[in-house]
Structures are given as C-alpha cells and as structure tokens.
Amino acid sequence: MEATRCRPLVLSGPSGCGKSTMIKKLMAEFPGFFGLSVSHTTRKPRLGEVNGKDYHFVTREEMHKMIKAGEFVEHAEYATNIYGTSKRAVQSVVDKNQICLLDIDMHGVESLKLTDLNPLYFSIQAPSIKVLEQRLRLRKTENDSSLLHRIESARREIEYSKKPGVFDAIIVNDVLEDAYAKLKELIKEEIAKVQ
Ligand code: ADP
Ligand code: 5GP
C-alpha cells in the first residue's frame, strides 16, 4: 500500500464513547481534509446509516469471501458481527491526499500495529461505564442483547487502553467540546500538513 504523507488517525474505544461523533465533527469543521476509511460489516444498518458512507453492509458470506481473498488490512469479530478495514477503503482516502480516519476496535488496533500504516492511535473513553451505558441507551440503536455485548466489550476495551505504549493519547469524552478540542490539539501537525 502506498504511503501517505499524513499519518492516518485511529480512534478506538468502547461503543458509545463518542468516536463517530468526533469523526463527524472533524469532517464538518475541516471539509475535504479528512476521509473516513469506510469499513465492511455484517451488522445490520441502523436508522439513518447509509451503505457506502457509514459502512459497507455485507453478508457473512461476502465478508468471508473478501477475507479469503486477502482484501482486508484487518478484520475482527465484535458483538456477534464481523467488521473489517479493506485495503481499498484506506487507499481511496490516501489517493485523495486526505487524512485517513479509522474507527476500529482493540483487535483492529492490534492488527494495524503489525502493518506499515504507521497511524496515530487515540483511545476515546467515556467518563465511566455508567455514563457509557446511558449514552448507548439514549442512542436507541441497541437491543438488550447487543447492549450487553457492548458493555462486556467496553470493559475489555477500557483495560486494553491502559496497556502502556499502545495509544498515543487517551481522551476522556466527558464534555464533548473539551474532548474534541483535545483531539484537535493532538492532531494539529497532521492538519497543518494538509493546509
Ligand atoms: P461511538 O461511535 O463511539 O459508538 P457515538 O459517537 O455514536 O459513539 O456516541 C454515542 C452517543 O453518545 C450518541 O448518541 C452521541 O450523540 C452521544 N455523545 C457523544 N459524546 C457525548 C458527550 N460528550 N456527552 C453526551 N453525549 C455524547
Ligand atoms: P458499531 O457497530 O457500533 O458501528 O461498531 C462496533 C465496534 O466495531 C466499534 O468499536 C468500532 O470501532 C468497531 N469497528 C468498526 N469498524 C471496524 C473495522 O473495520 N475493524 C475493526 N476491527 N473494528 C471496527
């Protein structure tokens, strides 16, 4: 894969911590600067999610076929579904000279560390599990079972974020504007490369 002059940015952390919210804010404030690596997933689309924009929604069969064909940089099982970053998804952002944003789980982080992509890794965290659960409930996207899976995974993601040397920074998303300002400060050198 061709190297990009801007380092990709990985946002990882428990479901409901605010990764998509921060990504949307960056893309709105800096139009054309960032490109999302649109992942493939076997999960069903949520209300308002657009195929090809939020995710490429595929069947398990299609996903397995792509995995076998070596089309992914990384892929992982999360809460009974498979998610994956395709080589094409990253390359299409690199080709536009945009900063590539990746929203991936801890297994994706582990896999990316074995590639030559050299991203900056940010762990986004909610102030507590309780707040996380409240946010997931308020988002009204999960049923009881997927909520439970996400809270269980969240505990593992929180532990993982404490592992020394994994993340370049941990951002606690309590007050959104403060967390967003912190993220912008941490990536200002990458933004300046595009400017
Ligand atoms: P993720 O992409 O990490 O799963 P989202 O960006 O979808 O998380 O955020 C989960 C929910 O919490 C959304 O409904 C979002 O609007 C809300 N949210 C995000 N950040 C905050 C915050 N700082 N305070 C309160 N609610 C927030
Ligand atoms: P959601 O279903 O809430 O959109 O995503 C669930 C989890 O899957 C989140 O932690 C998100 O970061 C992760 N995820 C989304 N896309 C990918 C991907 O391509 N690879 C990996 N490893 N995780 C992903």
Side-chain angles (χ1 to χ4, degrees), residues 11-16 19-20 37-41 43 46 49 55 74-78 83-86 103-109 139 142 150 157:
L11 269 60
S12 194
S15 174
K19 301 178 297 291
S20 323
S37 158
V38 180
S39 294
H40 283 66
T41 183
R43 143 164 109 58
R46 293 175 187 143
E49 280 184 331
Y55 279 107
E74 63 75 32
H75 65 275
E77 188 99 26
Y78 179 95
Y83 295 76
T85 306
S86 72
D103 174 344
I104 56 172
D105 81 333
M106 55 186 271
H107 303 292
V109 168
R139 196 172 70 182
E142 310 309 318
R150 279 157 200 273
E157 299 261 358

PDB file of all heavy atoms in Angstrom, residues 11-16 19-20 37-41 43 46 49 55 74-78 83-86 103-109 139 142 150 157, ligand 2:
ATOM      1  N   LEU A  11      -9.187   6.062  15.822  1.00  0.00           N
ATOM      2  CA  LEU A  11      -9.987   6.329  17.019  1.00  0.00           C
ATOM      3  C   LEU A  11     -10.558   4.998  17.477  1.00  0.00           C
ATOM      4  O   LEU A  11     -11.286   4.334  16.716  1.00  0.00           O
ATOM      5  CB  LEU A  11     -11.117   7.317  16.715  1.00  0.00           C
ATOM      6  CG  LEU A  11     -10.786   8.807  16.929  1.00  0.00           C
ATOM      7  CD1 LEU A  11      -9.638   9.251  16.051  1.00  0.00           C
ATOM      8  CD2 LEU A  11     -11.998   9.669  16.697  1.00  0.00           C
ATOM      9  N   SER A  12     -10.198   4.603  18.687  1.00  0.00           N
ATOM     10  CA  SER A  12     -10.670   3.328  19.202  1.00  0.00           C
ATOM     11  C   SER A  12     -11.232   3.562  20.601  1.00  0.00           C
ATOM     12  O   SER A  12     -10.941   4.571  21.234  1.00  0.00           O
ATOM     13  CB  SER A  12      -9.500   2.339  19.228  1.00  0.00           C
ATOM     14  OG  SER A  12      -9.972   1.031  19.404  1.00  0.00           O
ATOM     15  N   GLY A  13     -12.026   2.603  21.059  1.00  0.00           N
ATOM     16  CA  GLY A  13     -12.623   2.770  22.385  1.00  0.00           C
ATOM     17  C   GLY A  13     -13.994   2.145  22.427  1.00  0.00           C
ATOM     18  O   GLY A  13     -14.538   1.779  21.376  1.00  0.00           O
ATOM     19  N   PRO A  14     -14.572   2.024  23.602  1.00  0.00           N
ATOM     20  CA  PRO A  14     -15.853   1.326  23.741  1.00  0.00           C
ATOM     21  C   PRO A  14     -16.960   1.911  22.874  1.00  0.00           C
ATOM     22  O   PRO A  14     -16.981   3.122  22.624  1.00  0.00           O
ATOM     23  CB  PRO A  14     -16.212   1.532  25.220  1.00  0.00           C
ATOM     24  CG  PRO A  14     -14.950   1.904  25.886  1.00  0.00           C
ATOM     25  CD  PRO A  14     -14.090   2.563  24.869  1.00  0.00           C
ATOM     26  N   SER A  15     -17.838   1.058  22.426  1.00  0.00           N
ATOM     27  CA  SER A  15     -19.011   1.515  21.696  1.00  0.00           C
ATOM     28  C   SER A  15     -19.783   2.501  22.572  1.00  0.00           C
ATOM     29  O   SER A  15     -20.018   2.226  23.743  1.00  0.00           O
ATOM     30  CB  SER A  15     -19.879   0.293  21.373  1.00  0.00           C
ATOM     31  OG  SER A  15     -21.083   0.683  20.799  1.00  0.00           O
ATOM     32  N   GLY A  16     -20.127   3.642  22.017  1.00  0.00           N
ATOM     33  CA  GLY A  16     -20.879   4.650  22.760  1.00  0.00           C
ATOM     34  C   GLY A  16     -20.013   5.729  23.391  1.00  0.00           C
ATOM     35  O   GLY A  16     -20.537   6.674  23.989  1.00  0.00           O
ATOM     36  N   LYS A  19     -16.843   8.078  19.381  1.00  0.00           N
ATOM     37  CA  LYS A  19     -15.903   8.073  18.248  1.00  0.00           C
ATOM     38  C   LYS A  19     -16.552   8.672  16.984  1.00  0.00           C
ATOM     39  O   LYS A  19     -15.981   9.565  16.368  1.00  0.00           O
ATOM     40  CB  LYS A  19     -15.412   6.643  17.945  1.00  0.00           C
ATOM     41  CG  LYS A  19     -14.719   5.970  19.114  1.00  0.00           C
ATOM     42  CD  LYS A  19     -14.307   4.557  18.772  1.00  0.00           C
ATOM     43  CE  LYS A  19     -15.469   3.625  18.473  1.00  0.00           C
ATOM     44  NZ  LYS A  19     -16.324   3.274  19.621  1.00  0.00           N
ATOM     45  N   SER A  20     -17.724   8.179  16.632  1.00  0.00           N
ATOM     46  CA  SER A  20     -18.377   8.681  15.409  1.00  0.00           C
ATOM     47  C   SER A  20     -18.712  10.158  15.542  1.00  0.00           C
ATOM     48  O   SER A  20     -18.592  10.910  14.570  1.00  0.00           O
ATOM     49  CB  SER A  20     -19.683   7.938  15.118  1.00  0.00           C
ATOM     50  OG  SER A  20     -19.598   6.611  15.436  1.00  0.00           O
ATOM     51  N   SER A  37     -12.124   5.857   6.535  1.00  0.00           N
ATOM     52  CA  SER A  37     -11.943   4.519   5.983  1.00  0.00           C
ATOM     53  C   SER A  37     -13.259   3.782   6.243  1.00  0.00           C
ATOM     54  O   SER A  37     -13.578   3.456   7.387  1.00  0.00           O
ATOM     55  CB  SER A  37     -10.777   3.820   6.692  1.00  0.00           C
ATOM     56  OG  SER A  37     -10.906   2.430   6.549  1.00  0.00           O
ATOM     57  N   VAL A  38     -14.033   3.601   5.195  1.00  0.00           N
ATOM     58  CA  VAL A  38     -15.367   3.003   5.355  1.00  0.00           C
ATOM     59  C   VAL A  38     -15.214   1.482   5.481  1.00  0.00           C
ATOM     60  O   VAL A  38     -14.805   0.813   4.536  1.00  0.00           O
ATOM     61  CB  VAL A  38     -16.303   3.384   4.180  1.00  0.00           C
ATOM     62  CG1 VAL A  38     -17.680   2.752   4.367  1.00  0.00           C
ATOM     63  CG2 VAL A  38     -16.407   4.897   4.043  1.00  0.00           C
ATOM     64  N   SER A  39     -15.515   1.002   6.671  1.00  0.00           N
ATOM     65  CA  SER A  39     -15.340  -0.422   6.963  1.00  0.00           C
ATOM     66  C   SER A  39     -16.452  -1.262   6.347  1.00  0.00           C
ATOM     67  O   SER A  39     -17.525  -0.752   6.026  1.00  0.00           O
ATOM     68  CB  SER A  39     -15.376  -0.638   8.477  1.00  0.00           C
ATOM     69  OG  SER A  39     -14.278  -0.021   9.084  1.00  0.00           O
ATOM     70  N   HIS A  40     -16.185  -2.550   6.241  1.00  0.00           N
ATOM     71  CA  HIS A  40     -17.231  -3.518   5.908  1.00  0.00           C
ATOM     72  C   HIS A  40     -17.756  -4.103   7.219  1.00  0.00           C
ATOM     73  O   HIS A  40     -16.994  -4.271   8.172  1.00  0.00           O
ATOM     74  CB  HIS A  40     -16.667  -4.654   5.054  1.00  0.00           C
ATOM     75  CG  HIS A  40     -16.458  -4.264   3.618  1.00  0.00           C
ATOM     76  ND1 HIS A  40     -15.524  -3.325   3.228  1.00  0.00           N
ATOM     77  CD2 HIS A  40     -17.088  -4.684   2.481  1.00  0.00           C
ATOM     78  CE1 HIS A  40     -15.590  -3.186   1.909  1.00  0.00           C
ATOM     79  NE2 HIS A  40     -16.522  -3.995   1.428  1.00  0.00           N
ATOM     80  N   THR A  41     -19.029  -4.383   7.260  1.00  0.00           N
ATOM     81  CA  THR A  41     -19.585  -5.050   8.437  1.00  0.00           C
ATOM     82  C   THR A  41     -20.744  -5.959   8.066  1.00  0.00           C
ATOM     83  O   THR A  41     -21.458  -5.694   7.089  1.00  0.00           O
ATOM     84  CB  THR A  41     -20.065  -4.031   9.501  1.00  0.00           C
ATOM     85  OG1 THR A  41     -20.532  -4.751  10.641  1.00  0.00           O
ATOM     86  CG2 THR A  41     -21.190  -3.142   9.001  1.00  0.00           C
ATOM     87  N   ARG A  43     -23.022  -6.343  10.367  1.00  0.00           N
ATOM     88  CA  ARG A  43     -24.129  -5.841  11.185  1.00  0.00           C
ATOM     89  C   ARG A  43     -25.163  -5.161  10.291  1.00  0.00           C
ATOM     90  O   ARG A  43     -24.827  -4.630   9.235  1.00  0.00           O
ATOM     91  CB  ARG A  43     -23.530  -4.898  12.249  1.00  0.00           C
ATOM     92  CG  ARG A  43     -24.342  -3.706  12.572  1.00  0.00           C
ATOM     93  CD  ARG A  43     -23.976  -3.003  13.828  1.00  0.00           C
ATOM     94  NE  ARG A  43     -23.342  -1.705  13.661  1.00  0.00           N
ATOM     95  CZ  ARG A  43     -23.862  -0.673  13.018  1.00  0.00           C
ATOM     96  NH1 ARG A  43     -24.996  -0.777  12.354  1.00  0.00           N
ATOM     97  NH2 ARG A  43     -23.203   0.475  12.985  1.00  0.00           N
ATOM     98  N   ARG A  46     -28.202   0.778  10.935  1.00  0.00           N
ATOM     99  CA  ARG A  46     -29.108   1.481  11.852  1.00  0.00           C
ATOM    100  C   ARG A  46     -29.890   2.511  11.051  1.00  0.00           C
ATOM    101  O   ARG A  46     -29.458   2.907   9.962  1.00  0.00           O
ATOM    102  CB  ARG A  46     -28.296   2.239  12.920  1.00  0.00           C
ATOM    103  CG  ARG A  46     -27.556   1.337  13.849  1.00  0.00           C
ATOM    104  CD  ARG A  46     -26.686   2.153  14.799  1.00  0.00           C
ATOM    105  NE  ARG A  46     -25.851   1.254  15.575  1.00  0.00           N
ATOM    106  CZ  ARG A  46     -24.595   1.519  15.937  1.00  0.00           C
ATOM    107  NH1 ARG A  46     -24.036   2.671  15.612  1.00  0.00           N
ATOM    108  NH2 ARG A  46     -23.910   0.643  16.639  1.00  0.00           N
ATOM    109  N   GLU A  49     -28.231   5.216   8.731  1.00  0.00           N
ATOM    110  CA  GLU A  49     -26.911   4.838   8.210  1.00  0.00           C
ATOM    111  C   GLU A  49     -27.000   4.564   6.706  1.00  0.00           C
ATOM    112  O   GLU A  49     -27.963   3.940   6.234  1.00  0.00           O
ATOM    113  CB  GLU A  49     -26.367   3.604   8.945  1.00  0.00           C
ATOM    114  CG  GLU A  49     -25.756   3.947  10.291  1.00  0.00           C
ATOM    115  CD  GLU A  49     -25.112   2.753  10.993  1.00  0.00           C
ATOM    116  OE1 GLU A  49     -25.564   1.609  10.782  1.00  0.00           O
ATOM    117  OE2 GLU A  49     -24.175   2.980  11.773  1.00  0.00           O
ATOM    118  N   TYR A  55     -20.808   2.536   6.475  1.00  0.00           N
ATOM    119  CA  TYR A  55     -20.220   1.200   6.355  1.00  0.00           C
ATOM    120  C   TYR A  55     -20.559   0.657   4.977  1.00  0.00           C
ATOM    121  O   TYR A  55     -21.489   1.137   4.329  1.00  0.00           O
ATOM    122  CB  TYR A  55     -20.854   0.226   7.378  1.00  0.00           C
ATOM    123  CG  TYR A  55     -20.324   0.288   8.784  1.00  0.00           C
ATOM    124  CD1 TYR A  55     -21.089   0.855   9.808  1.00  0.00           C
ATOM    125  CD2 TYR A  55     -19.080  -0.251   9.104  1.00  0.00           C
ATOM    126  CE1 TYR A  55     -20.607   0.890  11.126  1.00  0.00           C
ATOM    127  CE2 TYR A  55     -18.598  -0.220  10.411  1.00  0.00           C
ATOM    128  CZ  TYR A  55     -19.359   0.357  11.405  1.00  0.00           C
ATOM    129  OH  TYR A  55     -18.882   0.382  12.697  1.00  0.00           O
ATOM    130  N   GLU A  74      -7.219  -5.472   8.099  1.00  0.00           N
ATOM    131  CA  GLU A  74      -7.511  -6.131   9.376  1.00  0.00           C
ATOM    132  C   GLU A  74      -8.991  -6.424   9.412  1.00  0.00           C
ATOM    133  O   GLU A  74      -9.775  -5.761   8.743  1.00  0.00           O
ATOM    134  CB  GLU A  74      -7.074  -5.258  10.574  1.00  0.00           C
ATOM    135  CG  GLU A  74      -7.800  -3.904  10.713  1.00  0.00           C
ATOM    136  CD  GLU A  74      -9.209  -4.009  11.246  1.00  0.00           C
ATOM    137  OE1 GLU A  74      -9.478  -4.907  12.052  1.00  0.00           O
ATOM    138  OE2 GLU A  74     -10.056  -3.201  10.848  1.00  0.00           O
ATOM    139  N   HIS A  75      -9.359  -7.413  10.210  1.00  0.00           N
ATOM    140  CA  HIS A  75     -10.785  -7.669  10.456  1.00  0.00           C
ATOM    141  C   HIS A  75     -10.919  -8.301  11.830  1.00  0.00           C
ATOM    142  O   HIS A  75      -9.960  -8.865  12.356  1.00  0.00           O
ATOM    143  CB  HIS A  75     -11.379  -8.562   9.364  1.00  0.00           C
ATOM    144  CG  HIS A  75     -10.792  -9.936   9.345  1.00  0.00           C
ATOM    145  ND1 HIS A  75      -9.631 -10.230   8.677  1.00  0.00           N
ATOM    146  CD2 HIS A  75     -11.183 -11.082   9.941  1.00  0.00           C
ATOM    147  CE1 HIS A  75      -9.337 -11.500   8.857  1.00  0.00           C
ATOM    148  NE2 HIS A  75     -10.266 -12.044   9.633  1.00  0.00           N
ATOM    149  N   ALA A  76     -12.116  -8.160  12.406  1.00  0.00           N
ATOM    150  CA  ALA A  76     -12.322  -8.678  13.759  1.00  0.00           C
ATOM    151  C   ALA A  76     -13.789  -8.989  13.982  1.00  0.00           C
ATOM    152  O   ALA A  76     -14.675  -8.402  13.340  1.00  0.00           O
ATOM    153  CB  ALA A  76     -11.851  -7.652  14.786  1.00  0.00           C
ATOM    154  N   GLU A  77     -14.028  -9.908  14.901  1.00  0.00           N
ATOM    155  CA  GLU A  77     -15.387 -10.257  15.319  1.00  0.00           C
ATOM    156  C   GLU A  77     -15.716  -9.333  16.495  1.00  0.00           C
ATOM    157  O   GLU A  77     -14.905  -9.169  17.420  1.00  0.00           O
ATOM    158  CB  GLU A  77     -15.377 -11.722  15.777  1.00  0.00           C
ATOM    159  CG  GLU A  77     -16.729 -12.287  16.068  1.00  0.00           C
ATOM    160  CD  GLU A  77     -17.294 -13.126  14.908  1.00  0.00           C
ATOM    161  OE1 GLU A  77     -16.524 -13.671  14.112  1.00  0.00           O
ATOM    162  OE2 GLU A  77     -18.534 -13.214  14.841  1.00  0.00           O
ATOM    163  N   TYR A  78     -16.877  -8.675  16.428  1.00  0.00           N
ATOM    164  CA  TYR A  78     -17.285  -7.791  17.526  1.00  0.00           C
ATOM    165  C   TYR A  78     -18.784  -7.950  17.743  1.00  0.00           C
ATOM    166  O   TYR A  78     -19.563  -7.739  16.801  1.00  0.00           O
ATOM    167  CB  TYR A  78     -16.928  -6.318  17.196  1.00  0.00           C
ATOM    168  CG  TYR A  78     -17.352  -5.360  18.273  1.00  0.00           C
ATOM    169  CD1 TYR A  78     -16.465  -4.963  19.264  1.00  0.00           C
ATOM    170  CD2 TYR A  78     -18.656  -4.871  18.320  1.00  0.00           C
ATOM    171  CE1 TYR A  78     -16.848  -4.103  20.270  1.00  0.00           C
ATOM    172  CE2 TYR A  78     -19.066  -4.015  19.323  1.00  0.00           C
ATOM    173  CZ  TYR A  78     -18.159  -3.637  20.289  1.00  0.00           C
ATOM    174  OH  TYR A  78     -18.554  -2.788  21.290  1.00  0.00           O
ATOM    175  N   TYR A  83     -16.331  -7.141  11.399  1.00  0.00           N
ATOM    176  CA  TYR A  83     -16.014  -5.806  10.889  1.00  0.00           C
ATOM    177  C   TYR A  83     -14.628  -5.881  10.252  1.00  0.00           C
ATOM    178  O   TYR A  83     -13.760  -6.595  10.752  1.00  0.00           O
ATOM    179  CB  TYR A  83     -15.952  -4.783  12.030  1.00  0.00           C
ATOM    180  CG  TYR A  83     -17.253  -4.534  12.756  1.00  0.00           C
ATOM    181  CD1 TYR A  83     -17.744  -5.452  13.683  1.00  0.00           C
ATOM    182  CD2 TYR A  83     -17.992  -3.375  12.530  1.00  0.00           C
ATOM    183  CE1 TYR A  83     -18.932  -5.215  14.361  1.00  0.00           C
ATOM    184  CE2 TYR A  83     -19.176  -3.131  13.212  1.00  0.00           C
ATOM    185  CZ  TYR A  83     -19.643  -4.051  14.122  1.00  0.00           C
ATOM    186  OH  TYR A  83     -20.816  -3.814  14.797  1.00  0.00           O
ATOM    187  N   GLY A  84     -14.409  -5.118   9.194  1.00  0.00           N
ATOM    188  CA  GLY A  84     -13.081  -5.141   8.587  1.00  0.00           C
ATOM    189  C   GLY A  84     -12.747  -3.877   7.828  1.00  0.00           C
ATOM    190  O   GLY A  84     -13.620  -3.209   7.256  1.00  0.00           O
ATOM    191  N   THR A  85     -11.461  -3.549   7.851  1.00  0.00           N
ATOM    192  CA  THR A  85     -10.930  -2.405   7.091  1.00  0.00           C
ATOM    193  C   THR A  85     -10.330  -2.960   5.803  1.00  0.00           C
ATOM    194  O   THR A  85      -9.353  -3.701   5.847  1.00  0.00           O
ATOM    195  CB  THR A  85      -9.800  -1.716   7.889  1.00  0.00           C
ATOM    196  OG1 THR A  85     -10.288  -1.370   9.190  1.00  0.00           O
ATOM    197  CG2 THR A  85      -9.281  -0.489   7.170  1.00  0.00           C
ATOM    198  N   SER A  86     -10.921  -2.594   4.668  1.00  0.00           N
ATOM    199  CA  SER A  86     -10.369  -3.119   3.413  1.00  0.00           C
ATOM    200  C   SER A  86      -9.183  -2.263   2.963  1.00  0.00           C
ATOM    201  O   SER A  86      -9.102  -1.074   3.285  1.00  0.00           O
ATOM    202  CB  SER A  86     -11.441  -3.156   2.320  1.00  0.00           C
ATOM    203  OG  SER A  86     -11.735  -1.847   1.890  1.00  0.00           O
ATOM    204  N   ASP A 103     -12.061   4.066  12.539  1.00  0.00           N
ATOM    205  CA  ASP A 103     -12.834   3.816  13.767  1.00  0.00           C
ATOM    206  C   ASP A 103     -12.877   2.302  13.937  1.00  0.00           C
ATOM    207  O   ASP A 103     -13.644   1.618  13.261  1.00  0.00           O
ATOM    208  CB  ASP A 103     -14.236   4.426  13.560  1.00  0.00           C
ATOM    209  CG  ASP A 103     -15.202   4.115  14.685  1.00  0.00           C
ATOM    210  OD1 ASP A 103     -14.941   3.202  15.497  1.00  0.00           O
ATOM    211  OD2 ASP A 103     -16.255   4.784  14.734  1.00  0.00           O
ATOM    212  N   ILE A 104     -11.990   1.785  14.782  1.00  0.00           N
ATOM    213  CA  ILE A 104     -11.843   0.323  14.896  1.00  0.00           C
ATOM    214  C   ILE A 104     -11.729  -0.120  16.356  1.00  0.00           C
ATOM    215  O   ILE A 104     -11.368   0.678  17.216  1.00  0.00           O
ATOM    216  CB  ILE A 104     -10.608  -0.188  14.110  1.00  0.00           C
ATOM    217  CG1 ILE A 104      -9.335   0.516  14.582  1.00  0.00           C
ATOM    218  CG2 ILE A 104     -10.797  -0.010  12.610  1.00  0.00           C
ATOM    219  CD1 ILE A 104      -8.064  -0.058  13.997  1.00  0.00           C
ATOM    220  N   ASP A 105     -11.997  -1.378  16.600  1.00  0.00           N
ATOM    221  CA  ASP A 105     -11.931  -1.886  17.971  1.00  0.00           C
ATOM    222  C   ASP A 105     -10.487  -2.275  18.345  1.00  0.00           C
ATOM    223  O   ASP A 105      -9.565  -2.133  17.534  1.00  0.00           O
ATOM    224  CB  ASP A 105     -12.905  -3.067  18.160  1.00  0.00           C
ATOM    225  CG  ASP A 105     -12.328  -4.373  17.639  1.00  0.00           C
ATOM    226  OD1 ASP A 105     -11.481  -4.336  16.720  1.00  0.00           O
ATOM    227  OD2 ASP A 105     -12.697  -5.432  18.170  1.00  0.00           O
ATOM    228  N   MET A 106     -10.316  -2.784  19.561  1.00  0.00           N
ATOM    229  CA  MET A 106      -8.972  -3.099  20.066  1.00  0.00           C
ATOM    230  C   MET A 106      -8.253  -4.187  19.258  1.00  0.00           C
ATOM    231  O   MET A 106      -7.038  -4.141  19.101  1.00  0.00           O
ATOM    232  CB  MET A 106      -9.035  -3.503  21.543  1.00  0.00           C
ATOM    233  CG  MET A 106      -9.971  -4.644  21.833  1.00  0.00           C
ATOM    234  SD  MET A 106     -10.127  -4.971  23.609  1.00  0.00           S
ATOM    235  CE  MET A 106      -8.787  -6.133  23.810  1.00  0.00           C
ATOM    236  N   HIS A 107      -9.022  -5.119  18.702  1.00  0.00           N
ATOM    237  CA  HIS A 107      -8.382  -6.169  17.896  1.00  0.00           C
ATOM    238  C   HIS A 107      -7.858  -5.574  16.585  1.00  0.00           C
ATOM    239  O   HIS A 107      -6.798  -5.965  16.093  1.00  0.00           O
ATOM    240  CB  HIS A 107      -9.363  -7.309  17.621  1.00  0.00           C
ATOM    241  CG  HIS A 107      -9.914  -7.901  18.889  1.00  0.00           C
ATOM    242  ND1 HIS A 107      -9.132  -8.611  19.761  1.00  0.00           N
ATOM    243  CD2 HIS A 107     -11.139  -7.823  19.459  1.00  0.00           C
ATOM    244  CE1 HIS A 107      -9.860  -8.969  20.806  1.00  0.00           C
ATOM    245  NE2 HIS A 107     -11.084  -8.492  20.649  1.00  0.00           N
ATOM    246  N   GLY A 108      -8.625  -4.611  16.071  1.00  0.00           N
ATOM    247  CA  GLY A 108      -8.175  -3.898  14.873  1.00  0.00           C
ATOM    248  C   GLY A 108      -6.891  -3.128  15.156  1.00  0.00           C
ATOM    249  O   GLY A 108      -5.980  -3.082  14.320  1.00  0.00           O
ATOM    250  N   VAL A 109      -6.813  -2.520  16.334  1.00  0.00           N
ATOM    251  CA  VAL A 109      -5.605  -1.782  16.728  1.00  0.00           C
ATOM    252  C   VAL A 109      -4.410  -2.732  16.750  1.00  0.00           C
ATOM    253  O   VAL A 109      -3.356  -2.452  16.181  1.00  0.00           O
ATOM    254  CB  VAL A 109      -5.796  -1.106  18.111  1.00  0.00           C
ATOM    255  CG1 VAL A 109      -4.476  -0.588  18.665  1.00  0.00           C
ATOM    256  CG2 VAL A 109      -6.811   0.029  18.010  1.00  0.00           C
ATOM    257  N   ARG A 139     -28.983   6.554  22.734  1.00  0.00           N
ATOM    258  CA  ARG A 139     -28.805   6.499  21.279  1.00  0.00           C
ATOM    259  C   ARG A 139     -29.892   5.656  20.625  1.00  0.00           C
ATOM    260  O   ARG A 139     -30.162   5.797  19.427  1.00  0.00           O
ATOM    261  CB  ARG A 139     -27.407   5.951  20.956  1.00  0.00           C
ATOM    262  CG  ARG A 139     -26.963   6.212  19.538  1.00  0.00           C
ATOM    263  CD  ARG A 139     -25.512   5.833  19.308  1.00  0.00           C
ATOM    264  NE  ARG A 139     -25.323   4.386  19.332  1.00  0.00           N
ATOM    265  CZ  ARG A 139     -24.141   3.774  19.202  1.00  0.00           C
ATOM    266  NH1 ARG A 139     -23.046   4.496  19.039  1.00  0.00           N
ATOM    267  NH2 ARG A 139     -24.048   2.462  19.235  1.00  0.00           N
ATOM    268  N   GLU A 142     -29.527   0.004  20.134  1.00  0.00           N
ATOM    269  CA  GLU A 142     -29.197  -1.369  20.534  1.00  0.00           C
ATOM    270  C   GLU A 142     -30.388  -2.059  21.198  1.00  0.00           C
ATOM    271  O   GLU A 142     -31.149  -1.419  21.925  1.00  0.00           O
ATOM    272  CB  GLU A 142     -28.022  -1.363  21.525  1.00  0.00           C
ATOM    273  CG  GLU A 142     -26.811  -0.550  21.080  1.00  0.00           C
ATOM    274  CD  GLU A 142     -26.330  -0.889  19.683  1.00  0.00           C
ATOM    275  OE1 GLU A 142     -26.292  -2.087  19.330  1.00  0.00           O
ATOM    276  OE2 GLU A 142     -26.015   0.046  18.933  1.00  0.00           O
ATOM    277  N   ARG A 150     -21.959  -4.982  24.127  1.00  0.00           N
ATOM    278  CA  ARG A 150     -21.161  -3.761  24.037  1.00  0.00           C
ATOM    279  C   ARG A 150     -20.595  -3.373  25.403  1.00  0.00           C
ATOM    280  O   ARG A 150     -19.450  -2.918  25.494  1.00  0.00           O
ATOM    281  CB  ARG A 150     -22.004  -2.628  23.428  1.00  0.00           C
ATOM    282  CG  ARG A 150     -22.049  -2.726  21.931  1.00  0.00           C
ATOM    283  CD  ARG A 150     -23.210  -2.047  21.273  1.00  0.00           C
ATOM    284  NE  ARG A 150     -23.392  -2.618  19.939  1.00  0.00           N
ATOM    285  CZ  ARG A 150     -22.775  -2.204  18.853  1.00  0.00           C
ATOM    286  NH1 ARG A 150     -21.988  -1.154  18.917  1.00  0.00           N
ATOM    287  NH2 ARG A 150     -22.963  -2.811  17.708  1.00  0.00           N
ATOM    288  N   GLU A 157     -12.131  -3.155  26.472  1.00  0.00           N
ATOM    289  CA  GLU A 157     -11.519  -2.014  25.776  1.00  0.00           C
ATOM    290  C   GLU A 157     -10.902  -1.038  26.781  1.00  0.00           C
ATOM    291  O   GLU A 157      -9.849  -0.457  26.525  1.00  0.00           O
ATOM    292  CB  GLU A 157     -12.574  -1.272  24.923  1.00  0.00           C
ATOM    293  CG  GLU A 157     -13.225  -2.104  23.834  1.00  0.00           C
ATOM    294  CD  GLU A 157     -12.625  -1.890  22.443  1.00  0.00           C
ATOM    295  OE1 GLU A 157     -11.710  -1.065  22.290  1.00  0.00           O
ATOM    296  OE2 GLU A 157     -13.078  -2.585  21.508  1.00  0.00           O
TER     297      GLU A 157
HETATM  298  P1  5GP B   2     -20.710  -0.188  15.663  1.00  0.00           P
HETATM  299  O1  5GP B   2     -21.480  -1.438  15.444  1.00  0.00           O
HETATM  300  O2  5GP B   2     -21.105   0.498  16.941  1.00  0.00           O
HETATM  301  O3  5GP B   2     -20.695   0.726  14.476  1.00  0.00           O
HETATM  302  O4  5GP B   2     -19.180  -0.636  15.880  1.00  0.00           O
HETATM  303  C1  5GP B   2     -18.868  -1.580  16.853  1.00  0.00           C
HETATM  304  C2  5GP B   2     -17.375  -1.634  17.062  1.00  0.00           C
HETATM  305  O5  5GP B   2     -16.729  -2.081  15.865  1.00  0.00           O
HETATM  306  C3  5GP B   2     -16.743  -0.282  17.401  1.00  0.00           C
HETATM  307  O6  5GP B   2     -15.830  -0.490  18.462  1.00  0.00           O
HETATM  308  C4  5GP B   2     -15.985   0.100  16.152  1.00  0.00           C
HETATM  309  O7  5GP B   2     -14.841   0.859  16.436  1.00  0.00           O
HETATM  310  C5  5GP B   2     -15.606  -1.271  15.637  1.00  0.00           C
HETATM  311  N1  5GP B   2     -15.314  -1.284  14.193  1.00  0.00           N
HETATM  312  C6  5GP B   2     -15.938  -0.623  13.196  1.00  0.00           C
HETATM  313  N2  5GP B   2     -15.358  -0.878  12.022  1.00  0.00           N
HETATM  314  C7  5GP B   2     -14.326  -1.717  12.284  1.00  0.00           C
HETATM  315  C8  5GP B   2     -13.327  -2.327  11.458  1.00  0.00           C
HETATM  316  O8  5GP B   2     -13.247  -2.168  10.254  1.00  0.00           O
HETATM  317  N3  5GP B   2     -12.434  -3.131  12.093  1.00  0.00           N
HETATM  318  C9  5GP B   2     -12.464  -3.355  13.438  1.00  0.00           C
HETATM  319  N4  5GP B   2     -11.524  -4.136  13.958  1.00  0.00           N
HETATM  320  N5  5GP B   2     -13.385  -2.793  14.238  1.00  0.00           N
HETATM  321  C10 5GP B   2     -14.300  -1.981  13.651  1.00  0.00           C
END
